Amino acid sequence: MKKILSVLLCMCMSASILVGCGGSKEAAADADVIKIGVFEPLTGANAAGGELEVEGMKLANKLYPEVLGKKVELVIADNKSDKAEATTAAARLIEKDKVSAILGSWGSSLSIAAGDLVKNNKVPAIGASCTNPMVTQGNDYYFRVCFLDPFQGTVMANYAFKQGYKKAAIIQEVSNDYAVGLAKFFTDAFVKLTGDESSIVEVGNYNTNDQDFSGILTNIKEKNPDVIFAPGNFTESALIIKQARSLGITAPFIGGDTWETSEFIQVGGKEVEGAVLSTFFDDTAPANDEAKKFVEEYKKEYPNRESVAAVSALGYDAYILTLKAIETAGSADPQKIRDAIAATKDFQGVTGKITINEQGDADKNTAVIKTVKDGKFTYLDTVVIE
Amino acid sequence: MNKRTKLLLNIAALVVVILFIIIANELFDSYIKRILNLCAIYTILGLSMNLVNGFTGLFSLGQAGFMAIGAYTVAIFTVPIEARSLIFYLKPMNAFLSGIHIPFVPALLLGGVIAALFAWLIGAPVLRLRGDYLAIATLGFSEIIRIVFTNAQTITNGALGIKNIPTISNLWWTWSIALLTIFFMILLIHSSYGRAFKAIREDEIAAEAMGIGLFKHKVISFMIGAFMAAIGGGLFAALLGTVDPKQFYFTLTYNFLLIIVLGGMGSISGTIISAFIVTGGLEWLRFLDEPMSIGGINIALFRPGLRMVVFSILLMIVVLFYRNGLMGQREITWEAIGEFFKKLRTRKTRNAKGGAKVE
């Protein structure tokens, strides 16, 4: 038995080596290819988000397969939602595949882990949805096309203030960098707008995968806030809203773009009706021609998806921005592409106008506010902050 | 084989390894170097876990917690002071800590000492438990560490993590520490302490009857294991240049459990081999994730994720056919290598004579 097995194993191994060789020969044959690395979590905890982003990039690659007369090839490397794996994946893209630029990753911590590598090897990277300010901080080679935690927090604070809310409570997912950042900037902006130091009446913390929030909610009920800001993961947030309603809390809930998933409505059911969130993109009201084209093509390409996720749109933007930069640079040299990306101004993306600032972040001034109505995310408002 | 030849062989092997590191450091690109660095770190972490689980027979799952202590100690103390206000942008860093900067090596050792101290603290009550209960208690400990780090915003920067840790990019740090660890483990296992650990693993009552202080030896093993885990964690932080609490989720421990089960519980050489197989194998299998076409037709099977499927199948095969891992409790010794070649030679001569095959 052992012998048969070892023979089988040997065959597998040698076959795979042969196949591996075949692949590399193919790559060597056509030097007229510009390679762009896709650095995304396709397995592990963040796989769902990574998959959506890759969909946007693949679609963009299909619509715009060429630049400078050369074919653009996407080299996809899975970072397994794991930091150690993320650094080897990024190193592989840079050293082995010799990519001209890197797109990704979903999950800021994975992008931060790859940050040193792209900086030291001087290969530009564009994040699609990594909102943590630390991704681009002190790194001249990391850029992004999404807005940041500070902006989103400010948008929601402005929204709450406009609705006439005076007292807010915060429930944050303390183990999530995104939620903590959003909560902090919401607090700053809301205190400034209301001019009242004590306008945040209560802050509750919870951890990812928590199920019972009655302790936090009972405290909040006593303080009787006008509005509750609860940035965090969709499942937990939906549970929070459910439990709040059963405790008799009637204050409206507002949150960030992570809520925009079908699971949020599935878990929350009727109770999440009226919840308000800010997001990057609205597929029912495309902002420009590019966006219209994107939505149409996306629905054709992925007919199973109910709606177009904002991160797919951002993935699409990251790709077309890179392509534009390659065109402007006139070469596939990473350093030149980097300079072209850094000089991007008023680029018309699917998610609005993008100008890359000194930090390497996208200066965006538009956010979309959506609400849950009749079990669907419905467009409510577009907020522009100068 | 006498002692002298063995010593010479050992020195020769060491020289070969060092030569290899010199060559690798000069010639290999950063991708290969990164994998080799990871191999070395996983060797250290695998050995630390094997000391407790494989040699002393304590089923402990606290590895991730001890790693976190080491990683965060290195992160907090080696980040350049001028970068700190940028990193701690939500809440400023604790005023006492924000002015302290320690070089890499002392910070690494400090992390090890703190982890050992914690091991002693929790070891005292927890090591009275056995089997599954010990596993649960240590697992709980590692989760507590993670949650404390998540909430200690002014010290660890909470969920945002710390970045800008000065990184190591050459092979010397990781490999010299890995070699030291291997050397130390060999000495330890062959000392009276090591024999006592093994006696405890085999039968606690018999060991006690022989006059071995059960509790003392268990605590010693647990503390040394924690120290090594923290050193590995510190190196890990310095390799990645960033830490955050999510990295030290309890599933991280399973990576090392996998390494020691695959290599053999209670085998140093097995741990080293499987650390290389697990780290290198996963990278090598990456071609399975890439789209592939044979004769112009794309095969849908080759998509991201296939790598993990194939890797799991290979692991299952190994575990099914080698119940005790690749090495069991055996070690690769010069005698064993000598025996192997002798056998090979006799088999050849017999085959040449037309004799029956020797199994």
Side-chain angles (χ1 to χ4, degrees), chain A residues 4-333:
Chain A
I4 299 171
L5 192 82
S6 56
V7 169
L8 268 177
L9 270 180
C10 282
M11 272 163 62
C12 281
M13 301 264 166
S14 43
S16 56
I17 288 171
L18 280 177
V19 174
C21 289
S24 57
K25 252 182 227 157
E26 210 173 275
D30 37 22
D32 297 341
V33 167
I34 293 180
K35 284 184 178 176
I36 297 181
V38 174
F39 167 66
E40 292 284 355
L42 294 168
T43 51
N46 297 344
E51 182 79 40
L52 284 173
E53 250 179 61
V54 173
E55 277 179 6
M57 292 168 192
K58 275 189 181 160
L59 180 65
N61 183 239
K62 200 180 162 197
L63 295 179
Y64 301 98
E66 277 184 15
V67 68
L68 305 174
K70 292 177 184 172
K71 201 172 161 278
V72 180
E73 188 193 328
L74 289 179
V75 185
I76 299 176
D78 172 23
N79 62 30
K80 228 180 118 196
S81 318
D82 174 278
K83 267 190 175 180
E85 196 83 11
T87 53
T88 48
R92 182 188 164 97
L93 286 174
I94 294 165
E95 293 283 353
K96 196 150 171 278
D97 296 315
K98 310 258 181 241
V99 296
S100 303
I102 293 173
L103 309 178
S105 151
W106 201 96
S108 297
S109 64
L110 299 168
S111 299
I112 293 172
D116 270 338
L117 273 166
V118 303
K119 192 175 165 188
N120 296 338
N121 290 293
K122 302 197 186 311
V123 175
I126 302 190
S129 66
C130 35
T131 52
N132 187 329
M134 283 210 281
V135 173
T136 56
Q137 191 186 80
N139 192 338
D140 291 338
Y141 288 83
Y142 228 112
F143 303 92
R144 68 180 129 208
V145 293
C146 52
F147 48 56
L148 276 68
D149 296 346
F151 179 72
Q152 213 175 351
T154 316
V155 164
M156 286 325 277
N158 271 296
Y159 170 81
F161 183 68
K162 253 202 241 162
Q163 299 293 312
Y165 303 137
K166 292 281 178 303
K167 303 258 177 235
I170 289 175
I171 305 177
Q172 58 179 350
E173 185 184 356
V174 74
S175 51
N176 184 340
D177 52 347
Y178 158 86
V180 176
L182 235 61
K184 156 84 177 165
F185 293 109
F186 176 87
T187 309
D188 288 355
F190 197 68
V191 167
K192 207 171 148 198
L193 285 168
T194 53
D196 178 7
E197 277 297 322
S198 56
S199 58
I200 306 291
V201 289
E202 177 77 25
V203 178
N205 291 338
Y206 67 93
N207 279 302
T208 320
N209 294 335
D210 277 4
Q211 299 284 327
D212 179 34
F213 307 94
S214 45
I216 304 169
L217 290 168
T218 321
N219 280 341
I220 287 177
K221 198 184 173 191
E222 269 171 30
K223 301 278 167 62
N224 198 19
D226 300 329
V227 64
I228 299 168
F229 183 55
N233 198 15
F234 46 85
T235 324
E236 286 86 340
S237 302
L239 284 173
I240 288 174
I241 299 175
K242 259 190 142 165
Q243 292 177 15
R245 296 292 179 248
S246 67
L247 277 171
I249 298 174
T250 50
F253 274 88
I254 57 178
D257 60 274
T258 42
W259 285 8
E260 202 188 0
T261 56
S262 47
E263 284 90 342
F264 180 71
I265 293 175
Q266 272 167 24
V267 175
K270 269 196 193 124
E271 277 86 351
V272 296
E273 286 286 313
V276 176
L277 56 105
S278 68
T279 184
F280 308 94
F281 178 70
D282 177 39
D283 60 344
T284 56
N288 51 41
D289 293 343
E290 188 66 50
K292 249 181 229 150
K293 184 173 161 194
F294 165 70
V295 172
E296 273 171 27
E297 293 291 333
Y298 186 89
K299 288 199 168 146
K300 252 188 257 166
E301 187 81 16
Y302 305 102
N304 296 334
R305 300 271 181 211
E306 274 173 33
S307 61
V308 187
V311 287
S312 301
L314 289 166
Y316 185 92
D317 270 0
Y319 178 86
I320 56 174
L321 182 77
T322 314
L323 223 60
K324 183 82 197 303
I326 295 174
E327 209 176 290
T328 324
S331 91
D333 176 43

Side-chain angles (χ1 to χ4, degrees), chain A residues 1-3 5 9 13 16-17 19-20 26 42-43 75-80 82-85 87-89 91-92 95-97 109 112-113 116-117 119-121 132-139 149 174-178 180-181 184-185 205 207-209, chain B residues 29-31 34-35 38 42 83 86-87 89-91 146-147 150-151 153 157-165 167 236 239-244 246-247 249 252 255 282-284 286-287 289-290 292-294 302-305 307-308 314 317 321-322 359:
Chain A
M1 186 61 207
K2 261 190 187 172
K3 259 183 203 156
L5 192 82
L9 270 180
M13 301 264 166
S16 56
I17 288 171
V19 174
E26 210 173 275
L42 294 168
T43 51
V75 185
I76 299 176
D78 172 23
N79 62 30
K80 228 180 118 196
D82 174 278
K83 267 190 175 180
E85 196 83 11
T87 53
T88 48
R92 182 188 164 97
E95 293 283 353
K96 196 150 171 278
D97 296 315
S109 64
I112 293 172
D116 270 338
L117 273 166
K119 192 175 165 188
N120 296 338
N121 290 293
N132 187 329
M134 283 210 281
V135 173
T136 56
Q137 191 186 80
N139 192 338
D149 296 346
V174 74
S175 51
N176 184 340
D177 52 347
Y178 158 86
V180 176
K184 156 84 177 165
F185 293 109
N205 291 338
N207 279 302
T208 320
N209 294 335
Chain B
D29 60 28
S30 69
Y31 170 56
R34 192 160 277 275
I35 296 170
L38 267 182
Y42 281 12
L86 269 178
I87 295 167
Y89 68 92
L90 281 188
K91 269 185 198 162
R146 185 176 66 83
I147 289 171
T150 308
N151 287 285
Q153 184 79 40
N157 206 17
L160 296 166
I162 297 174
K163 73 162 202 165
N164 272 352
I165 304 165
T167 47
F236 200 55
L239 181 72
L240 301 182
T242 149
V243 287
D244 73 277
K246 265 193 213 140
Q247 236 176 305
Y249 208 62
L252 181 70
N255 290 352
L282 264 181
E283 277 306 311
W284 178 70
R286 220 175 244 285
F287 69 89
D289 276 6
E290 288 162 5
M292 195 172 298
S293 54
I294 292 177
F302 286 91
R303 55 157 70 214
R307 169 172 78 117
M308 299 310 295
L314 289 178
I317 291 173
F321 288 93
Y322 298 85
E359 281 297 326

Side-chain angles (χ1 to χ4, degrees), chain B residues 98-118:
Chain B
S98 64
I100 305 177
H101 182 272
I102 305 181
F104 179 58
V105 176
L108 200 62
L109 288 173
L110 180 68
V113 171
I114 295 175
L117 211 68
F118 267 95

